Every structure is written in structure tokens, then in C-alpha cells.
Amino acid sequence: MRLGLSAALAFALATVLTGCAADTSPVASPSTPDDTRVSVLPLARSVDTADRTPAPTTAQSTTAAPTTSTTVAATVEQGSTASRPTATCARPAKPLTTPSGRHLILRPAASRSPAPTIIVMHGYTGTPQAIEKFSELTHLANVDGVAVMYPEGTPTATGGFGWNSGAGLFSTSGTDDVEALSEIIDVAVGTGCVDRQRMVISGESNGAGMALVALCDARLENTFAAAVLVIPAVDDAVLAHCSPSNAVPIGVSVVVGELDQTVGFADGRPPFLPAEQWFETMASAVNHCPPQVPPPNQIDAFVERLDMSGCAACTEMFEIADGTHTWPGSSRGTGGQTPGTFALNRRLVDLALHPDQTCLA
């Protein structure tokens, strides 16, 4: 329920709420969902085109939240008998900025606060604005009472931003992105819009590799309720971050495209590993799964699911026959690629909503 504020109280709140804009004037921030102007560099220059930076625009995104502090009444989360306490959510109109200078697009849910939250990390040379546009996740999530965070990596030499996953290709270097991600999460939680106890980390390509690194770092232990790695860029250097001796089991879902020519699928594009090979290694390191990938189960005409057994937590991989190196299930892929028919967003939102669910299936 939205509450009216006096002018004096509104001014006082605006001076103390982190990331809350003081005015409602348009800013050059996220592109609108209909803006299809995207600059894509050729693959020969070793650029991951999964979510290349869109051309800037002065129009405010149609998914941007109002610049108000909203008190949301207690709600009962699906699958839970406990009601959420009433909280105040500082709804930012502009990207938030962390103390170290990172930016974050936060799209709060209108119906609850703090809300279950999905973190979506862009790919190499991507931006928060671009991955928001091409994933088409914000509207569906917000309508269903789920907040979405789109954090920013560090600049790459070819434009856009990336993450220091340690990979031999499609990775930045020289930055501690685990520390940066921890800081980004603190800023988001500080708005009152994000439920720290129900965060699902996701990402695509280089961002998915970074999400895996985050899962295996003790500084972020017990931070995430589940993980969804989309078209991940994973090689031996990324896997080296994970060790069975210090892993905390967590539900992990992997989504890959069989037509992916950027990181490869069955063969892998060096230095990246074949999907099932690195998945088996990851499953053993993170969730102590026996080292044997089971035969896939056919879900529909285009999707097969590998369900690892004997693990400490749910571990699965979806193989999409018509999927390429772009976010599955969206209406358009980056660089003209085919997104595939897998309804990732619906499954991702349901995962965030249900505390007893740890995988997409």
C-alpha cells in the first residue's frame, strides 16, 4: 500500500535513503525494451556478444520503478506460512552506485518488500541495461512479486563490461569481483527492497562463470538460495575456484544451447570445455555428486534435462536443441541469434518465489 508523505518528510527521507533519486527528471540510463540498436563486434576479436551494449538513449526504461519510498503491507510468500514484515522500499529511478563506483540497476517488486530477488550478471562486453533488455525478465518478475538486480562489471578493452572469472577468454583481470559483488548486494539490501534470505544468482556466459566463482568463494557462503548458470563460459581456470573440501552445497541449474558456437557445446571452443564435461566436474566439486553424468530425460521436442543423482543438493542441466549463445526463451537474441524455445524466465521466477524449491525443474 502506497502512503502519502508531507513535503518536509519526503525531503528528509530523500537525503538519507541510499540510491533514491531526489527528482523524477529523465536520465540517460537503461534503454527501452523496444530499442533494438545494439553494437556487436565480430567474434574474431574474441568478444562475447551475448548481451552487447545498446546505443544510449535519453528515455527512461519502461520498467523503471517510481522514485518513491513505498511501504508494502505484510504478504504471505508462496510455499510459506510465515508472513513478511512490513518494510519500506526505497525505489531507485537511477542506477545505484556502490562506494567503490560500481553501478547497479535494481527493479523492485511493487507488491512486496523486501522481495525475493534474482541477480542477473551480464556477459563479457555486456551492460546491465543490455542484459535487462534481452532477457526480458523484469516485467514478469516484478508482476509476480520478485525483484531483479542487474549489476555492472568492470570495463573491457573492447567496450562494455565484464567479470574476472579467471577464464582464458571472455574475462577481465586485476579486479576482485567477488568483493565487488558482495558490496553490490549490500547496497541493494540497504534499499529495503531485497530479501537477503531469498536471493537467486544467475548470469549468462562470462556472468555465469562469475556466478560459479561466487558460489565457491567463502566470502559469499550461504548468500544465495540457488544458482542458475545460463550459457556459461567455463574452463579449467574457472573450475579451479571450486573445491569439494570447502564447497557449501547449493541447488545449481545449468542451461546450455546445443547450437552455441561462442563457447561450444559438445566439443567446446578452446579454452572452454564441453558442456557435459565441466558440468560433471562442477557437480562433484560443489554438490559432491558422484562422477557420472546420467542419461538425459526428454522434456519436450527441444529440451533434455540431465539430473545428477546422489548429490548433496539439486544439480541439473538443461540442453536446448534450438538454443544458441543468447538468453533462452526471449523474443529476440543478440546479434540475430535464435534464443531457443526454453521458457527460462517463468522457471526462474518460480524458483525465486518458492523457498522449498532449489532447482528450475
Side-chain angles (χ1 to χ4, degrees), residues 193-207:
C193 306
V194 172
D195 185 354
R196 187 184 283 275
Q197 303 305 312
R198 189 60 192 172
M199 289 191 296
V200 175
I201 187 169
S202 184
E204 68 167 22
S205 196
N206 170 226

Side-chain angles (χ1 to χ4, degrees), residues 4-5 11 23 35 39 78 103 115 133 154-155 166 239 264 354:
L5 295 175
F11 177 80
D23 60 73
D35 183 1
S39 174
Q78 297 183 28
H103 295 100
K133 182 181 76 169
T154 54
L239 292 172
H354 295 84

Side-chain angles (χ1 to χ4, degrees), residues 49-338:
T49 61
D51 52 17
R52 187 71 174 128
T53 311
T57 175
T58 56
Q60 181 66 33
S61 171
T62 57
T63 55
T67 59
T68 60
S69 299
T70 304
T71 301
V72 180
T75 60
V76 178
E77 185 167 333
Q78 297 183 28
S80 172
T81 58
S83 61
R84 291 285 180 188
T86 300
T88 299
C89 169
R91 302 174 61 80
K94 300 178 181 179
L96 301 173
T97 303
T98 69
S100 64
R102 296 291 184 102
H103 295 100
L104 163 70
I105 293 177
L106 174 61
R107 304 301 192 201
S111 60
R112 68 175 73 185
S113 153
T117 301
I118 302 169
I119 303 171
V120 181
M121 304 176 70
H122 60 72
Y124 191 71
T125 73
T127 67
Q129 291 90 344
I131 186 59
E132 179 181 28
K133 182 181 76 169
F134 283 107
S135 68
E136 300 175 352
L137 174 63
T138 295
H139 179 72
L140 174 63
N142 285 177
V143 166
D144 281 6
V146 176
V148 189
M149 292 168 51
Y150 301 96
E152 176 187 83
T154 54
T156 77
T158 53
F161 301 87
W163 304 95
N164 184 11
S165 67
L169 187 65
F170 304 151
S171 174
T172 57
S173 60
T175 57
D176 185 349
D177 280 334
V178 171
E179 181 65 29
L181 182 58
S182 179
E183 184 183 59
I184 287 168
I185 291 171
D186 287 343
V187 168
V189 171
T191 65
C193 306
V194 172
D195 185 354
R196 187 184 283 275
Q197 303 305 312
R198 189 60 192 172
M199 289 191 296
V200 175
I201 187 169
S202 184
E204 68 167 22
S205 196
N206 170 226
M210 187 64 219
L212 178 56
V213 171
L215 293 183
C216 297
D217 195 292
R219 290 171 292 176
L220 292 177
E221 184 176 320
N222 297 319
T223 297
F224 310 111
V228 179
L229 313 180
V230 184
I231 53 172
V234 176
D235 62 9
D236 286 327
V238 176
L239 292 172
H241 290 274
C242 302
S243 169
S245 61
N246 58 15
V248 176
I250 181 175
V252 179
S253 300
V254 177
V255 181
V256 296
E258 294 184 7
L259 302 180
D260 190 331
Q261 297 183 7
T262 302
V263 298
F265 170 70
D267 298 327
R269 175 193 176 193
F272 303 117
L273 301 172
E276 292 187 7
Q277 179 180 330
W278 74 256
F279 173 69
E280 178 181 356
T281 303
M282 180 278 298
S284 175
V286 176
N287 286 335
H288 311 294
C289 302
Q292 183 175 0
V293 176
N297 296 318
Q298 194 79 34
I299 293 180
D300 58 36
F302 294 98
V303 181
E304 292 182 331
R305 175 176 177 258
L306 301 179
D307 182 15
M308 298 292 285
S309 60
C311 307
C314 176
T315 312
E316 63 181 4
M317 181 162 72
F318 293 88
E319 300 177 350
I320 307 171
D322 60 345
T324 59
H325 196 72
T326 192
W327 193 268
S330 60
S331 65
R332 58 194 170 195
T334 55
Q337 297 186 82
T338 302

